[in-house]
Amino acid sequence: MSVLDVLRDFLVNDLHWDPRRAPLTPDFALIDNGVVDSMGIFMLVSFLEEQFAVEVKDEEIVPENFGTLGAIAAYVERKRQPA
Amino acid sequence: MTRQLLHHLLVETAERSPEATAVAFRGETMTYGTLDAWSDRLAHLLVDVGVRRGDRVGIYREKSSGSVAAIYAILKAGAAYVPLDPHAPPARLAYIARNCGLRWLITAEEKLPLCRQMVEKQAPLEAVILPDVVPARRSDPAETLPPGVRLLAADAVAAQPASPPAVRGIELDLAYILYTSGSTGEPKGVMISHLNSLAFVRWAHQAIQVRADDVLSNHAPWHFDLSIFDVFAAVLAGATLAPVPAEMSVFPVQLAEFIAQTGITVWYSVPSVLNLLLLRGNLKPGAFPRLRTVLFAGEVFPTPHLRRLMGLLPHARFYNLYGPTETNVCTWYEVPPLPADRVAAIPIGRAIDNVEVFAMTEEGRVAAPGEVGELYVRGSTVALGYWGDSERTARGFVSHPSAPFHERVYRTGDLVRQDEQGDYLFLGRRDNQVKSRGYRIELGDVEAAIYAHPEVAECAVAALPDAVVGNRLKAFVVTRGTRPLSPSELVQFCSNLIPRYMVPEEVEFRDRLPKTSTGKIDRTELVR
């Protein structure tokens, strides 16, 4: 499974987004549409840290990295690159 | 005419300092003069479309200067405002609209498809007002609303006079209705009069010493009673109200930047928001030099987190405000420096000025200090009751148990004990109500949503204590077994009936639920 698919599954199964309300395309706005709220973001951050073995810094929890599925996937890929 | 209604706070401040900044939001500001004039025009439009004294008008939109104007406009028209949760499912909002007879809605363009869904679910809407929308820029209004519902935009507001409409009101008139979770699966509307609200607002203004040069945060949404302090105490003082953009709550580092850059001096929110700021906000000691007061309410602030936050903001004073929506705020407690080894929860404190609280034991006596009892509240802040529900009103708003004549007091359902210093300590609930992120949740309300699923044979919802959000909800479900049911399907089903904060985070399927000897579900055994 691609990173995008893993993330989509997480949003549906753990954050309980109903895909019938709106499909989770890579550019679908996660915050404005209420897919991820103030609690969801922390579940999501913990999930990323566990699933992809990355360390998410406070200052990285920003819309540029978490605003859409595509943004989160790109962020995870960047974090997984060896420094 | 004497000025004793909520909207007179705005009229008086606008007369005194028309050029002062009333609202600062997303880089734009609105002066008191403009806020007053714009709310006058909108009030006239409401009267034009048929709103009369005592009617209810909905506010269904995110925070903005325009939303603040809408609140005051509805009050100026003599009506009561009913704030609708912008993220609640349309089915629940349609229930509220039917329940209190909402015929008018002040909303925003992006909400129109949801307004349509509300009408399809029998919300009795007659007119929808979009005060921010210039008609020429609208695509096709006819398509978004059913026939028979009028759509009015900014041009209709601008055409109205900027003078207050001639509507007589008295302080016992209804000012707003706040809907909270009800135990039977339907929300209940707490009715607050101008007097109820002003009794609290005037106290808070005095006690917190809000000044014209203050900048007050507005974090809570309009349908949450914490917003009352923000919207009315700021205007009473002629201070600036700074609504917190919704996305900031999701990104703590940005929230921290917002507080610093906006120069917030008085912050008010539920503890869980402050917790997130503490845990993920990258706060440095001495952050927010302008912040002088931190108010929190709605749930217990875990003492270790509170101590850390106070350590980072040594120049700010911290207050715990307590009170169910039915009483506005009834007790308060200024948090002293907390010793490093203290883990016990801080008290809810003592009654605010001009309000009395007392605890009644199970035997019906006034509890002595040290004894456990249910907290009762007496004072002008106590609400009028629940809209359209005299039975529940009679159960919550009761005759004073020891007064020599009939007098109404509110029984909170909260169990408390008074400590040696005379401060009350919150111990828990008498019933199945829990708090999560400061929101009141009746477990029966959540269970009713789960039972609505045809595959569910039996269920019980438990609240699991959590240091950050207060409680997390977990559902235990027995299915009929006619077809497979996944936790996600059930949770998604619920999210179409109840707001997000009420939807259980976890679902566990069981073959059967443990029962007590009387055949009730054994909730203690369930979470063991």
Side-chain angles (χ1 to χ4, degrees):
Chain A
M1 264 202 322
S2 71
V3 171
L4 212 56
D5 291 333
V6 172
L7 292 170
R8 195 180 281 118
D9 277 3
F10 175 80
L11 295 183
V12 171
N13 294 327
D14 294 79
L15 296 190
H16 308 303
W17 179 254
D18 185 346
R20 285 168 303 181
R21 283 170 84 170
L24 292 169
T25 54
D27 58 353
F28 186 66
L30 299 178
I31 312 300
D32 294 348
N33 288 300
V35 185
V36 177
D37 64 4
S38 58
M39 278 305 116
I41 193 88
F42 288 88
M43 293 171 69
L44 178 58
V45 165
S46 308
F47 174 76
L48 296 186
E49 293 189 326
E50 217 167 282
Q51 177 81 21
F52 300 108
V54 296
E55 191 206 337
V56 180
K57 298 198 176 78
D58 291 351
E59 56 272 26
E60 291 169 351
I61 310 175
V62 289
E64 298 79 68
N65 294 334
F66 286 87
T68 63
L69 265 184
I72 306 172
Y75 167 74
V76 168
E77 295 294 358
R78 273 201 312 281
K79 294 289 283 187
R80 292 211 292 185
Q81 301 288 327
Chain B
M1 189 183 73
T2 54
R3 290 168 165 175
Q4 52 223 346
L5 304 178
L6 275 170
H7 48 278
H8 295 149
L9 303 178
L10 173 58
V11 175
E12 286 182 352
T13 298
E15 278 173 5
R16 206 168 59 233
S17 30
E19 296 307 320
T21 300
V23 185
F25 186 63
R26 294 195 192 276
E28 290 180 12
T29 59
M30 185 184 265
T31 64
Y32 273 101
T34 307
L35 180 63
D36 190 39
W38 187 246
S39 57
D40 276 345
R41 293 184 201 277
L42 187 50
H44 273 287
L45 179 64
L46 290 171
V47 173
D48 263 13
V49 297
V51 174
R52 294 294 173 264
R53 182 177 167 198
D55 282 336
R56 282 76 53 211
V57 179
I59 296 182
Y60 183 36
R61 45 184 291 162
E62 304 283 350
K63 288 181 267 195
S64 65
S65 331
S67 300
V68 179
I71 288 174
Y72 281 96
I74 294 168
L75 296 173
K76 285 177 173 183
Y81 76 90
V82 183
L84 301 178
D85 178 354
H87 300 288
R92 196 166 176 96
L93 299 180
Y95 171 83
I96 293 173
R98 292 194 308 272
N99 182 250
C100 70
L102 276 188
R103 289 144 68 196
W104 306 274
L105 213 52
I106 299 176
T107 184
E109 196 165 14
E110 73 271 10
K111 295 289 183 207
L112 286 181
L114 294 155
C115 293
R116 187 190 182 95
Q117 289 183 40
M118 284 170 65
V119 174
E120 286 163 1
K121 295 178 194 302
Q122 274 74 52
L125 297 185
E126 289 173 11
V128 168
I129 301 172
L130 305 170
D132 306 329
V133 174
V134 179
R137 282 200 236 130
R138 276 190 46 73
S139 41
D140 192 356
E143 272 195 6
T144 38
L145 281 175
V149 181
R150 285 177 73 186
L151 191 78
L152 295 141
D155 56 324
V157 185
Q160 300 288 336
S163 60
V167 180
R168 187 184 127 83
I170 69 165
E171 64 181 6
L172 296 180
D173 287 352
L174 191 59
Y176 46 88
I177 305 178
L178 301 178
Y179 276 84
T180 71
S181 175
S183 53
T184 56
E186 279 155 357
K188 55 185 181 190
V190 180
M191 301 188 288
I192 306 281
S193 69
H194 287 261
L195 172 66
N196 298 153
S197 190
L198 276 168
F200 160 65
V201 170
R202 291 196 195 282
W203 167 80
H205 169 254
Q206 183 72 30
I208 307 301
Q209 295 279 300
V210 186
R211 299 180 310 245
D213 59 354
D214 271 320
V215 181
L216 272 61
S217 68
N218 165 229
H219 182 275
W222 306 129
H223 62 281
F224 199 164
D225 78 334
L226 270 69
S227 66
I228 301 305
F229 169 79
D230 312 339
V231 174
F232 297 108
V235 171
L236 172 55
T240 299
L241 182 69
V244 182
E247 71 278 8
M248 299 277 176
S249 305
V250 184
F251 300 111
V253 169
Q254 291 196 327
L255 182 59
E257 280 168 16
F258 169 85
I259 295 172
Q261 282 167 11
T262 316
I264 300 287
T265 60
V266 180
W267 173 269
Y268 188 20
S269 75
V270 290
S272 55
V273 176
L274 291 165
N275 255 329
L276 297 181
L277 204 56
L278 174 71
L279 299 176
R280 283 295 194 168
N282 208 10
L283 295 190
K284 302 283 184 288
F288 319 141
R290 292 203 58 194
L291 184 65
R292 65 174 182 87
T293 299
V294 177
L295 309 168
F296 55 90
E299 63 195 341
V300 178
F301 201 144
T303 300
H305 292 183
L306 177 56
R307 180 172 45 241
R308 272 181 64 199
L309 187 64
M310 290 173 74
L312 289 170
L313 307 171
H315 50 284
R317 298 171 74 164
F318 285 69
Y319 298 91
N320 184 17
L321 305 187
Y322 159 87
T325 304
E326 288 87 339
T327 68
N328 284 277
V329 162
C330 57
T331 71
W332 70 316
Y333 179 77
E334 177 165 7
V335 188
L338 296 168
D341 57 347
R342 177 171 177 149
V343 286
I346 58 162
I348 56 173
R350 303 168 193 212
I352 66 170
D353 289 352
N354 209 19
V355 165
E356 226 167 60
V357 298
F358 54 95
M360 298 294 292
T361 64
E362 267 188 9
E363 299 82 44
R365 296 181 284 109
V366 173
E371 273 189 307
V372 177
E374 179 182 353
L375 193 73
Y376 283 59
V377 186
R378 169 176 182 250
S380 299
T381 55
V382 172
L384 300 176
Y386 303 114
W387 179 270
D389 193 340
S390 48
E391 192 190 317
R392 252 196 282 201
T393 300
R395 260 185 282 149
F397 299 82
V398 299
S399 198
H400 194 303
S402 57
F405 51 88
H406 171 73
E407 192 198 11
R408 234 172 43 113
V409 290
Y410 178 69
R411 51 186 302 193
T412 62
D414 285 344
L415 298 176
V416 297
R417 180 164 48 84
Q418 215 173 2
D419 67 14
E420 300 80 43
Q421 287 75 40
D423 289 312
Y424 282 97
L425 299 162
F426 170 77
L427 305 173
R429 286 290 300 174
R430 197 168 50 83
D431 55 18
N432 285 325
Q433 187 193 100
V434 300
K435 289 284 186 100
S436 180
R437 298 177 224 186
Y439 281 102
R440 256 161 81 158
I441 301 172
E442 297 281 357
L443 295 179
D445 203 359
V446 183
E447 287 164 0
I450 297 173
Y451 270 120
H453 194 287
E455 261 307 298
V456 172
E458 198 171 23
C459 79
V461 175
L464 311 178
D466 180 279
V468 177
V469 296
N471 282 292
R472 291 176 189 275
L473 301 185
K474 179 171 180 177
F476 297 87
V477 178
V478 179
T479 65
R480 297 189 188 284
T482 45
R483 70 173 180 82
L485 177 64
S486 71
S488 290
E489 182 190 334
L490 187 58
V491 163
Q492 284 160 12
F493 175 83
C494 291
S495 66
N496 289 316
L497 296 173
I498 49 180
R500 181 81 176 253
Y501 63 84
M502 289 175 56
V503 176
E505 285 181 25
E506 214 184 319
V507 177
E508 185 180 317
F509 291 107
R510 294 262 181 106
D511 293 334
R512 57 191 170 80
L513 299 181
K515 299 282 164 59
T516 64
S517 56
T518 56
K520 288 183 180 168
I521 292 170
D522 188 339
R523 290 172 185 275
T524 323
E525 184 61 35
L526 199 60
V527 292
R528 187 165 292 167

